[in-house]
Amino acid sequence: MSQILDGKKVAQKLKDELKIEIENIKSKFNRVPGLAVVQVGNVAASSVYVKAKTKAAKEVGINVFDHHLEETTDQNDLINLISQLNSNGDVDGILVQLPLPKTINEEAVLNCIIPEKDADGFHPLNVGKLSISNKNDENLMIPCTPYGCLMLLRELGIDLAGKNAVVIGRSNIVGKPMAQLLLKESCTVTTVHSKTVDIESICKKADILIAAIGKPEFINKDWVKEGAIIIDVGINRVKINEEKSKLVGDVLFSDVENKVSAISPVPGGVGPMTIACLLRNTTISCKNKLSIN
Ligand code: NAP
């Protein structure tokens, strides 16, 4: 039987720790971390994510500044809002929910967020710091999803050094920072992608396999080594019938479950960790500003 990496439980543990940390900040400095959440338009999935992030932030005591803008918002107006949030002393983290409407250049907007308030950890300076820092990660703004994956791995209590880790996917938000984090843990890291030749045999050698592809149940037991640890980042909505749908990962859970030593489920694995790590980044930003770190 494999161990199920319960993201809800680990995320709750992190949120409980953050809550205490925020209470301490409040009692010493008479302020709490602030998170500005910016959504443009009404993409249904974005509204679900924004609602979940806002609720979780409030639960741990973070102040939320909600900015829900019209679909037709002009790029300059959005950039002006970001500039105001950059200079607002009550705001420690700025989250711009993606995707933005097609009329807006996402990169231009994200690059306007000052690195100190980059709650998602996507700013080039934070990406660079993650890449060159060999120290511990206590005051770094690290992309939330890969850091959440690392926290799930740490939960296993095993020594990650020397493990053969394979990351499937090379996106800026998941695959690349995931590979950096595993390298910092002294894993031997291979990143594979859509142009990789003989991907299956590379994955089959992995002690740790991180799947971040975006293809429903793509990875089956023929891709995984006996006893491997699997982190499934994928979130894919598939139809069950005309009326109903469900969320599945990139891994065919039922097929690999009995072959691996540990696996994160979808839903309930990486998803809750991503939200908790956003709250962590916001708290880190506040602590950095107050010189607590
Ligand atoms: P993305 O930007 O679309 O990147 C997908 C990556 O997978 C690309 O690097 C692509 O390779 C690679 N890929 C695609 N097809 C492949 C194949 N057949 N074989 C090998 N590699 C292949 O996606 P993403 O933003 O990284 O997200 C990946 C998945 O994670 C999605 O399901 C997304 O919904 C989910 N996600 C979940 C969370 C969470 O909180 N749980 C957060 C973020 C994302 P190329 O570079 O060669 O195109």
Side-chain angles (χ1 to χ4, degrees), residues 196-215:
T196 301
V197 177
D198 200 9
I199 189 168
E200 200 177 309
S201 71
I202 299 172
C203 293
K204 220 169 171 173
K205 292 191 185 117
D207 302 314
I208 297 169
L209 188 66
I210 314 278
I213 324 170
K215 293 207 180 322

Side-chain angles (χ1 to χ4, degrees), residues 49 145 168-175 192-196 199 211-215 218 223 232-236 248-250 269-275:
Y49 289 133
T145 300
I168 320 177
R170 55 173 164 179
S171 71
N172 289 335
I173 63 167
V174 188
V192 297
H193 47 78
S194 69
K195 304 290 185 291
T196 301
I199 189 168
I213 324 170
K215 293 207 180 322
F218 191 68
W223 289 56
D232 190 352
V233 183
I235 300 181
N236 310 286
V248 297
D250 289 344
V270 177
M273 295 306 299
T274 299
I275 297 181

Side-chain angles (χ1 to χ4, degrees), residues 9-26:
K9 203 166 134 193
V10 183
Q12 190 57 50
K13 197 167 93 181
L14 174 59
K15 287 192 283 182
D16 291 344
E17 286 165 12
L18 289 171
K19 199 171 175 188
I20 293 169
E21 222 173 325
I22 290 167
E23 276 162 10
N24 286 338
I25 294 172
K26 193 175 177 184

Side-chain angles (χ1 to χ4, degrees), residues 9-70:
K9 203 166 134 193
V10 183
Q12 190 57 50
K13 197 167 93 181
L14 174 59
K15 287 192 283 182
D16 291 344
E17 286 165 12
L18 289 171
K19 199 171 175 188
I20 293 169
E21 222 173 325
I22 290 167
E23 276 162 10
N24 286 338
I25 294 172
K26 193 175 177 184
S27 65
K28 277 193 198 138
F29 297 91
N30 196 26
R31 91 190 278 292
V32 293
L35 174 67
V37 180
V38 181
Q39 182 185 357
V40 185
N42 292 299
V43 172
S46 293
S47 299
V48 172
Y49 289 133
V50 162
K51 200 171 156 198
K53 289 168 183 175
T54 303
K55 181 170 172 273
K58 288 181 178 168
E59 272 166 17
V60 300
I62 290 176
N63 237 347
V64 178
F65 301 88
D66 180 29
H67 294 273
H68 192 170
L69 310 178
E70 298 283 333

Side-chain angles (χ1 to χ4, degrees), residues 10-177:
V10 183
Q12 190 57 50
K13 197 167 93 181
L14 174 59
K15 287 192 283 182
D16 291 344
E17 286 165 12
L18 289 171
K19 199 171 175 188
I20 293 169
E21 222 173 325
I22 290 167
E23 276 162 10
N24 286 338
I25 294 172
K26 193 175 177 184
S27 65
K28 277 193 198 138
F29 297 91
N30 196 26
R31 91 190 278 292
V32 293
L35 174 67
V37 180
V38 181
Q39 182 185 357
V40 185
N42 292 299
V43 172
S46 293
S47 299
V48 172
Y49 289 133
V50 162
K51 200 171 156 198
K53 289 168 183 175
T54 303
K55 181 170 172 273
K58 288 181 178 168
E59 272 166 17
V60 300
I62 290 176
N63 237 347
V64 178
F65 301 88
D66 180 29
H67 294 273
H68 192 170
L69 310 178
E70 298 283 333
E71 173 84 26
T72 51
T73 298
D74 181 74
Q75 180 167 317
N76 287 333
D77 291 339
L78 179 56
I79 287 177
N80 282 338
L81 171 65
I82 306 277
S83 301
Q84 285 167 29
L85 296 172
N86 280 339
S87 51
N88 183 337
D90 294 328
V91 172
D92 298 292
I94 302 171
L95 163 79
V96 176
Q97 184 62 46
L98 302 179
L100 291 171
K102 298 237 173 327
T103 50
I104 297 180
N105 180 334
E106 275 182 8
E107 198 183 339
V109 171
L110 293 183
N111 283 344
C112 287
I113 301 172
I114 54 170
E116 294 82 354
K117 298 193 179 188
D118 169 33
D120 270 325
F122 295 159
H123 191 283
L125 194 85
N126 289 322
V127 174
K129 278 187 179 173
L130 173 63
S131 158
I132 60 174
S133 160
N134 284 321
K135 296 196 200 116
N136 70 28
D137 37 30
E138 281 317 299
N139 59 1
L140 292 182
M141 308 283 271
I142 300 174
C144 306
T145 300
Y147 195 72
C149 295
L150 179 61
M151 288 193 71
L152 285 179
L153 288 174
R154 284 180 176 159
E155 204 57 28
L156 289 168
I158 55 160
D159 187 7
L160 298 176
K163 292 273 185 287
N164 192 11
V166 174
V167 180
I168 320 177
R170 55 173 164 179
S171 71
N172 289 335
I173 63 167
V174 188
K176 284 185 201 159

